[in-house]
Amino acid sequence: MTNNTRKISRNLGLGLDRPIKRRDLLNGMGISAAAIAAYSISGAQASSGTNAGPLIYAPENDPAYYPPARTGLRGSHPGSFEPAHAHAWSGHTWEDTTDLDEEYDLVVVGGGISGLTAAFAYRQKAGPDARILVIDNHDDFGGHAKRVEFTHKGKTYLVPGGSGFMETPYFSEQAKTLLDDIGLNLKNLEAEQVKDLRFHAYDMSPSICFDRETYGRDVTLVDDILPMDTKDEEGNFRLIKHIPNMPLTVAEKKDLHDFLTSDKDVFEGMSLEERKSALHSMSYNTFVTDYCGLSQKAADAIFTRQPGAIVGVTTDCISLYEAISLTRLPGLHVLGDQGRLLQEELDSMPPIEGHYGPEGNAIITRNIVKRLVPSITEAETMEELTTARFDYAKLDDDRSNVRIRLNSIGINIKTIDSGSRVAVTYIRGDKPYRVKARHCIYAGFHMYLPHLCPELPEKQRLALSENVKMPFIAANVFLRNGSPLQELGSASFYFPGRILHECVAWGRSLGKHEQEFDPDEPVVIYMIGPMVGPHTNMDPKDQYRQGRFKLLSMSFEDYEVEVREQLASLFASTSFDVEQDIIGLTINRWPHGYTRQYNTLFDPKYAEGQRPHEIARARFGRIAIANSDASYVALANTAIDEGLRAVNDLLPQTH
Ligand SMILES: Cc1cc2nc3c(=O)[nH]c(=O)nc-3n(C[C@H](O)[C@H](O)[C@H](O)COP(=O)(O)OP(=O)(O)OC[C@H]3O[C@@H](n4cnc5c(N)ncnc54)[C@H](O)[C@@H]3O)c2cc1C
């Protein structure tokens, strides 16, 4: 295939016409076509792919109902969000609510790690007779921690739809205890340094791919060059020797070379105070362009998108300090003594290790669900659960004290009966239903809560709406075999020019589940990136709002083109056939992805106790508030901690 083929028609020569597992996306959504149409709002309709077939209503008790095996548009799948958007954006209301004859001790709104943790911990405190209902708007439980399955010739391959791995040493003691209680011991989930996990999959080198759509030609550099501050035995950045092959002009290559080989203190002449302030108030992009002499094009070609998968912004919106310390971009070598001190500080920090199941952090949510609803499978241990097919019909069984109701979008939480109970209204299909409970824990994303619960104090509602989450895309690409990876010698890839910029071949064996790298067997590639920038000069919150619209308005085919173009470029030098070798594709849209994080470039300095997340998560009567949003840290362990805190808010005295 020539350059031209791909430029003339993005759909020609990429294999979009191939029958792959990708577009059975609307089957079994649990919501009618009429319901989706009823809530369609300009600019944010569900994009349901090109070959969307007829909508079939398939309730959870259909034996064929098994969401992990669905492909196509997942994450925020069509049918999971339209009523909420209609409600929040245009004040849509529903009439004729059905009051169900159901009374609970606790209703949890949101069945991600945090909400499921809360349900589990509440039952631990209140006792096994506690009646608990968890509702979630998706067709599967888990929130970002969802499992995606591909099957080929009878063998199942697992990959996360979103949340990937648990990071230590961040886990609190109480979060570790929770994991123990659900049968997950971090020690049993072999740890790997996150560096290795993200950049050295299957013991192969990482690579940087300059794709032809962005850079005019395909260039893939394969070496131990990620993270980008990696040095060789002589103490030189490993990137340096690859500069000649980068698609840059001679002058740009020289500037990049000068920056990476310099030992000049670029802040020379600044006072200590000015230097400290610059670290936190200057963007990394300003640093490399204004202080280190790189052209914007050279900076973009290599550094700009790199922090995205970790902090959800490009280098123009991240401080110099965070770019260096969190995302490991080069810079300390041109900061003189200050750089040396900072390097010592970073070297003294404990290494971050990643623990993960074959399905990523869905191993947490599946283990909690097993403990909440034991009849869902006969499997017991973490290892057995990995290969178990859950019986979704058991999730919402009226004989069980704990029920998990999917395809149900909470639209109202209200204190009733003089404050002695809470009523929760949700939409299922296109009909509103109401249940009552002694307590409610909201474990969905915070932005929506002011619409759900107008009775919250104004200050709290404002703080909740401050949490504009990062829009993320996570693609799972199922390749016919691993040969192209072996030929390239790489299994983790960075694309400086693309949205899905961080990619890794995913695989882990556990119990009877085997998923090791074999060049002759299929392999799953996990690709992620935030829908942001670069160079918007906007507060990240505004970028996230804008990115969310873009994310929802792109069709499955748009994403498929992205993925195919990227892989065609990456594997251009191998036997990979972009038309034939992709045998399955799932696009997980996360319009409300990582929780917002504080950003020293854009956020004011808040007084202790007055930070938006602290105001937002305050208990309100019988309603407590969980979710990782309650911490402003986008990690599985914070989702657990906040679920536990919400239970403590409601049941402080119980042990
Ligand atoms: C692509 C991606 C990759 C990630 N990778 C990692 C990783 O590797 N490691 C890590 O530690 N963290 C990772 N994270 C962060 C992730 O957010 C946390 O790990 C964790 O999964 C968050 O759990 P949560 O329960 O707080 O929120 P969520 O997972 O968002 O769960 C909340 C649930 O509530 C539902 N909900 C919201 N409103 C309503 C309503 N009104 N009615 C009913 N249901 C509602 C939501 O749709 C969702 O299902 C990743 C996130 C994303 C998006």
Side-chain angles (χ1 to χ4, degrees), residues 109-115 135-138 142-146 162-165 361 408-410 442-445 448 452 469 472 474 526 528 590 593-594 627-628 634-636 639:
V109 179
I113 293 177
S114 203
I135 63 169
D136 195 276
N137 55 320
H138 293 109
H144 299 154
K146 282 209 175 64
S163 191
F165 47 89
N361 285 340
S408 302
I409 305 178
Y442 179 74
F445 39 86
Y448 186 39
L452 260 152
K469 299 190 81 154
F472 259 82
Y526 176 69
I528 69 167
W590 300 114
Y594 294 10
N627 195 286
S628 49
L635 290 174

Side-chain angles (χ1 to χ4, degrees), residues 11 43 50 62 84 122 151 201 207-208 220 262 297 303 314 335 352 371 375 383 403-404 436 499 552 563 652:
N11 297 4
T50 46
D62 180 337
Y122 188 97
T151 305
S207 57
I208 299 179
T220 301
S262 168
K297 189 169 149 240
F303 301 128
T314 47
L335 292 180
I352 300 169
R371 311 306 158 205
S375 60
E383 289 81 4
R403 301 172 72 169
I404 299 173
K436 295 181 188 122
I499 292 165
L552 287 173
V563 166

Side-chain angles (χ1 to χ4, degrees), residues 11-50:
N11 297 4
L12 279 181
L14 283 175
L16 268 85
D17 52 336
R18 298 286 152 166
I20 62 168
K21 270 182 79 60
R22 60 187 170 205
R23 289 169 180 141
D24 52 341
L25 52 155
L26 291 175
N27 293 353
M29 272 173 14
I31 191 165
S32 67
I36 293 182
Y39 304 122
S40 288
I41 294 166
S42 64
Q45 285 98 333
S47 302
S48 46
T50 46

Side-chain angles (χ1 to χ4, degrees), residues 323-335:
I324 288 172
S325 60
L326 287 180
T327 74
R328 311 256 323 252
L329 285 169
L332 291 178
H333 65 293
V334 287
L335 292 180

